[in-house]
Amino acid sequence: MFSTYFELTIFLKSLSNPLTSPDNSPQSSVDVSVSTVFYRGAHSVPENLVFSSQDSVCFYVHLSAFSGAAECAFRPILSAPLSDSRYQTTRIHVPETSEILNIIFHVIYNMSCLKHSPSFNAIVTAIGRMPVYEISPKDYMAPSTPLHELLLHSMSHHPLEVYAIAAHYDVYDIAEAASAHLLSYPLNSISDEIVTQMGPVYLKRLLCLHANRLNALKYMIMTPPTFHAPTESCTYEEQKKLSRTWVMAAAHLVWDAQPSLSTHNLEAAFRPLQDQLSCPECCEIFSGRVREVAQGWSGVKDTI
Ligand SMILES: [Zn+2]
């Protein structure tokens, strides 16, 4: 069985232009399948290299694709540079599954593989394996690149893992975007493996994001509404009671608050108090203070 993106895989009993394996054994009778993206004739310029995966899927690619950031790609498994004439007639075997190799070639070709819906595990594995073949993931993670797009696409379901990958390669903008999804993440449950992957600097940034938001919340809500001039029905003593009630409600809110607290929930926490007020002036000052706090909270930075 092949992955969905190989649904149209072509089975060949013999290659029209038989290639030989690295050990020069004949392969004309070997069953092989061919990538539906990187097949012979897929591009206007003829392909001149053939890679094969662990599960015997062939990828027809161009030598010219291995320039710039990919100049040293696959060097660790080659005995000569890719430009060596032997690779024009020899299939290059890569000990990776076709799913992983498919992602890696999409990255090298600067093509999006979103249409193949690769699993997140496959994306993580492909990125993790790239350095083994001297392909630097960071070189392909700039904004608007397919790998950048792929990671942002995975962010809502796997924010911590995406944050850790971005942190590992110091790609700040992806980590920044992922951090917005981590406001309710219990930081004390992050595994040692993920902590090691993200490193101390990005771990500190995440810890500071949580701490700074909670500190900002405390600072804003612990100040009660101001007093109005005393009246016969609403004396200073009455208004002091309201202040005390506000401080107690604020302390209760801060005790349980998450950095992800929504402004809606913040306002809702004070609403029962407001509903008890009979003095119109207190009511107006109170609602104004709640509005002020909510506006302040919505302006607190929510990313690293
Ligand atoms: Zn009043």
Side-chain angles (χ1 to χ4, degrees), residues 257-270:
Q258 294 284 323
S260 58
L261 175 72
S262 67
T263 52
H264 173 79
N265 286 344
L266 192 155
E267 288 173 321
F270 289 100

Side-chain angles (χ1 to χ4, degrees), residues 208-221 297:
C208 286
L209 168 64
H210 278 224
N212 291 344
R213 278 182 67 80
L214 290 177
N215 286 337
L217 181 66
K218 280 181 207 164
Y219 178 78
M220 286 187 297
I221 68 170
W297 180 238

Side-chain angles (χ1 to χ4, degrees), residues 52-80:
S52 68
S53 64
Q54 211 168 40
D55 45 349
S56 302
V57 176
C58 286
F59 294 79
Y60 288 79
V61 296
H62 304 87
L63 177 61
S64 58
F66 297 90
S67 58
E71 198 169 356
C72 297
F74 298 106
R75 188 68 60 85
I77 58 167
L78 303 173
S79 50

